[in-house]
DNA sequence: GGCTTACTACTCGGATACTGCTTGTCCGAGTTCAGGGGG
DNA sequence: CCCCCTGAACTCGGACAAGCAGTATCCGAGTAGTAAGCC
């Protein structure tokens, strides 16, 4: 149960785009910034476009730019854009199968195991939602040479 | 990023073992209880043995029995026994790669993205740890026919 | 009759194939820009 | 000199393979129980 690398790529790319300002940047240069496979990064950024976090501009001088300020984008938005919004734990209702399932009437209440795992899932998503990319950007700005390097590499 | 089915299987199996009392139960019967593939369930239960949640008894009349009361086993114990204790988000330090990485000195502080994701990870694990299997057992006992069915199917 | 011993049946445990998803790559559709020709 | 048109280059977007973890299965090692043989 490992999260896709695309989440890390997406987060750093969003932060880089914010440090550069408004203009669109192509996936090729964004990939070069962190030595990532360009086409595959492009694929991940398409997920962010569909989720409304990025806007894509076709043609020469095109690329991707932020759809809204980083303060309005939470970690949860990014994770769910890449990974989907499926639950970490998927209940397959095995309580209704096999010899035990046949000996019990159709349950009317939700599976207690499922509910317990969902509580943890909710805590995770809530913690993700409580942190915006602007918070991380602020953290990064404590070391100013990072922003300078980004502008120097991509600007 | 989906959790393995083995977690669900392990949780229900642990609960079933507790409802039956102390004696060891073979993986064949435990699997039959929920119509699961026996050998594969066996593999998952081996993980629980290595984690110290179960004790295995070889030979005829052998099987698996609980190593300790359910009140001493948390959801986190089970999840980490099956899935391992690796972080959901694994930072690959791409900030040090590519053209940006070459323009920045070796960072002395931890990656801000990594830290933010770890905070959510910690919230998840904490929520898992706050719930014991005894709590779920208590929830299940609200509908007594479940326990009767388990004892009737496996006892 | 009681004890020892060999055998059988049943269990866990790990080694061995198979499947689906994540990862990675490639090519086509669309758009902007530049340059040349015409008015 | 200005405008229009054609072509080329560059971008995103989705379709097409490769690698790997999760899934499923099988067989061997070991043990408890049983039954037969011996004292």
């Amino acid at each position: 149960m490992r999260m896709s690398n695309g989440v890390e790529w997406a987060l750093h790319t969003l932060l880089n785009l914010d440090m550069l300002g408004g203009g669109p940047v192509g996936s090729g240069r964004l990939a070069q910034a962190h030595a990532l496979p360009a086409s595959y990064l492009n694929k991940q950024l398409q997920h962010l476009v569909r989720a409304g976090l990025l806007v894509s501009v076709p043609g020469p001088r095109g690329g991707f730019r932020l759809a809204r300020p980083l303060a309005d984008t939470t970690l949860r938005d990014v994770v769910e854009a890449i990974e989907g919004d499926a639950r970490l734990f998927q209940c397959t209702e095995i309580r209704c199968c096999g010899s035990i399932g046949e000996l019990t009437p159709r349950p009317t209440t939700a599976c207690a195991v499922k509910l317990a795992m969902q509580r943890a899932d909710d805590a995770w998503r809530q913690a993700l939602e409580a942190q915006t990319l602007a918070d991380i950007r602020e953290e990064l700005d404590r070391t100013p040479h990072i922003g300078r390097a980004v502008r120097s590499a991509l600007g």
Side-chain angles (χ1 to χ4, degrees), chain A:
Chain A
M1 188 185 40
R2 211 181 88 268
M3 198 177 294
S4 160
N5 286 336
V7 174
E8 183 182 13
W9 302 1
L11 288 170
H12 282 278
T13 299
L14 288 167
L15 290 166
N16 288 341
L17 280 172
D18 189 55
M19 290 180 180
L20 285 175
V25 183
S27 61
R29 265 202 289 174
L30 290 169
Q32 188 184 10
H34 290 298
L36 306 174
S39 292
Y40 191 36
L41 175 64
N42 195 350
K43 196 188 196 62
Q44 308 292 356
L45 298 184
Q46 285 174 31
H47 290 143
L48 299 184
V49 171
R50 282 180 214 142
L53 307 184
L54 283 182
V55 173
S56 66
V57 180
R61 308 281 295 171
F64 297 91
R65 62 178 173 79
L66 295 178
R68 58 183 192 238
L70 286 193
D72 297 336
T73 299
T74 67
L75 288 182
R76 177 174 178 172
D77 294 328
V78 179
V79 169
E80 293 191 347
I82 300 291
E83 296 285 336
D85 57 357
R87 293 276 183 180
L88 293 179
F89 177 87
Q90 266 146 340
C91 180
T92 60
E93 293 289 338
I94 62 173
R95 63 172 177 164
C96 303
C97 307
S99 53
I100 290 180
E102 291 168 3
L103 288 172
T104 50
R106 283 286 158 222
T108 57
T109 61
C111 177
V113 171
K114 174 185 180 179
L115 290 177
M117 295 300 287
Q118 280 191 357
R119 279 189 283 270
D121 194 304
D122 291 337
W124 180 60
R125 292 190 144 83
Q126 193 171 344
L128 287 174
E129 202 165 4
Q131 303 180 82
T132 73
L133 290 190
D135 301 332
I136 299 180
R137 167 75 198 270
E138 192 177 345
E139 190 83 16
L140 288 180
D141 287 339
R142 304 271 175 78
T143 53
H145 58 73
I146 292 180
R148 284 198 298 270
V150 171
R151 279 180 289 274
S152 171
L154 296 175

